[in-house]
Amino acid sequence: MITFRKTILLVFIIVFLIGMRAGAQAKEITVVASFYPAYITELNVVKDVPGIRVVNLTTGAQGCLHDYALTTNDMRTLSKADIFVVNGAGTEGFLEEVAKQYPKLRIVRLTDTVPLIENNPHVWLSISGVVVGAKNLGRAMQELDPDRAELYQKNTDDYVLKLEKLGLKLYSQLSPHKGAKIITLHDAFVYFAHEFGLEVVAVIEREPGAQPSAQDLAQIIEVVRKCGVKAIFSDQWVLIPALQTVTLETGVPNYVLDLAVSGPDDPEAYIKIMQKNAQTIIEALQ
Ligand SMILES: [Zn+2]
């Protein structure tokens, strides 16, 4: 026979077990991304998983991270991170310093296993590159938080599907322009161009801010004229001197593409940016 005391004890045990479970579920994980594109991938992979704090380390950075140096504030953020999600391929010049300072910090490189084109780090501008990145992060989250592995797997699969649909859509939209010759201000769009069969015949500035010599400029202008280049793609409306010279000398207009290194806090942001970039390219090449 169950006595009153036994019932009370049983109720206590049940309440205790429920509390334990709730405690386990509320486990807080801080996921820090080195920059915006990694942050957007994170938002998708951890979508609707409770207790995950997602941080973009370099919200104040302009453009890519080429010359970015970590601040003391950044180091403080990293000291609280459970996992640090980076592009890799040399994008984060500060990675060694971080690994040394926080030897226990898990670091996930989104570009792991992506074949690089001439060591170019701008892999996030390749849709298939971002697919690999999402899978790399999905796996890392499952290892870090195995209790919720299914959720991460589902989120990763959902995002990969969306990206693959986007890739197919852009592939068919851009297919009439296959083989089109373009020139770019920086070498950021190499992967995008490669993915959709566009040929980058010249890059005005090898590194952002590296002014081409008069001889380089003359060569670029010649290439533009010879190859029938229809458009110059840059990441800015401001015509820096070299860009101005090329557009003036050749009459080929400048179109602005989005580097996808800043934008809204929206998991769909990357997809929207890439769609817009494809539209700009289509408009320019018509
Ligand atoms: Zn760059």
Side-chain angles (χ1 to χ4, degrees):
M1 206 185 120
I2 300 172
T3 63
F4 179 69
R5 280 178 72 176
K6 270 187 183 160
T7 311
I8 293 285
L9 188 67
L10 201 66
V11 168
F12 266 116
I13 289 170
I14 289 169
V15 167
F16 178 72
L17 286 175
I18 289 171
M20 285 260 295
R21 240 185 101 73
Q25 276 173 352
K27 180 166 108 183
E28 180 142 313
I29 295 175
T30 301
V31 188
V32 177
S34 66
F35 72 151
Y36 185 73
Y39 174 72
I40 296 300
T41 297
E42 268 181 26
L43 287 185
N44 282 283
V45 171
V46 305
K47 202 174 183 177
D48 299 329
V49 183
I52 307 265
R53 209 162 68 87
V54 183
V55 182
N56 176 11
L57 190 67
T58 57
T59 40
Q62 297 288 319
C64 315
L65 293 179
H66 298 296
D67 301 314
Y68 190 83
L70 290 180
T71 63
T72 36
N73 213 6
D74 294 338
M75 283 310 243
R76 206 171 305 133
T77 305
L78 284 170
S79 73
K80 292 170 194 147
D82 294 291
I83 191 163
F84 187 31
V85 184
V86 302
N87 185 67
T91 304
E92 294 85 359
F94 46 77
L95 207 52
E96 226 170 278
E97 186 192 338
V98 172
K100 220 165 126 190
Q101 185 97 10
Y102 304 109
K104 284 184 189 155
L105 178 64
R106 275 173 192 252
I107 297 175
V108 184
R109 288 172 179 78
L110 297 179
T111 56
D112 253 2
T113 75
V114 175
L116 298 183
I117 301 172
E118 291 171 359
N119 283 325
N120 190 308
H122 303 88
V123 175
W124 69 91
L125 290 162
S126 141
I127 295 164
S128 57
V130 174
V131 165
V132 174
K135 288 179 180 172
N136 287 345
L137 180 57
R139 254 192 315 274
M141 289 307 299
Q142 292 186 31
E143 279 168 27
L144 179 73
D145 185 17
D147 288 351
R148 299 185 288 186
E150 267 177 47
L151 278 176
Y152 299 120
Q153 186 64 55
K154 188 195 170 290
N155 284 344
T156 305
D157 291 346
D158 287 353
Y159 193 42
V160 165
L161 192 68
K162 279 184 192 173
L163 290 167
E164 282 172 350
K165 271 190 188 163
L166 171 75
L168 286 174
K169 187 176 153 195
L170 299 197
Y171 193 80
S172 85
Q173 284 178 345
L174 287 162
S175 65
H177 305 291
K178 225 170 170 182
K181 293 177 170 60
I182 63 170
I183 77 166
T184 60
L185 177 60
H186 297 135
D187 63 356
F189 284 90
V190 170
Y191 290 94
F192 187 91
H194 185 256
E195 203 152 67
F196 298 105
L198 307 171
E199 195 188 334
V200 182
V201 291
V203 172
I204 298 177
E205 286 186 348
R206 273 288 150 203
E207 297 275 334
Q211 288 278 348
S213 67
Q215 209 180 351
D216 291 340
L217 264 181
Q219 219 166 28
I220 292 165
I221 289 164
E222 206 189 311
V223 167
V224 172
R225 288 191 179 133
K226 258 195 189 158
C227 297
V229 169
K230 281 187 183 171
I232 300 165
F233 294 101
S234 75
D235 52 305
Q236 58 192 45
W237 291 109
V238 185
L239 291 177
I240 56 156
L243 186 56
Q244 190 165 31
T245 307
V246 179
T247 53
L248 277 178
E249 289 282 326
T250 61
V252 174
N254 169 44
Y255 289 85
V256 176
L257 297 177
D258 193 327
L259 283 176
V261 286
S262 62
D265 257 9
D266 170 10
E268 303 292 314
Y270 176 77
I271 288 173
K272 289 176 188 165
I273 289 171
M274 295 310 265
Q275 257 166 346
K276 199 169 157 242
N277 279 341
Q279 281 313 310
T280 304
I281 290 173
I282 290 163
E283 195 190 306
L285 297 180
Q286 247 151 24

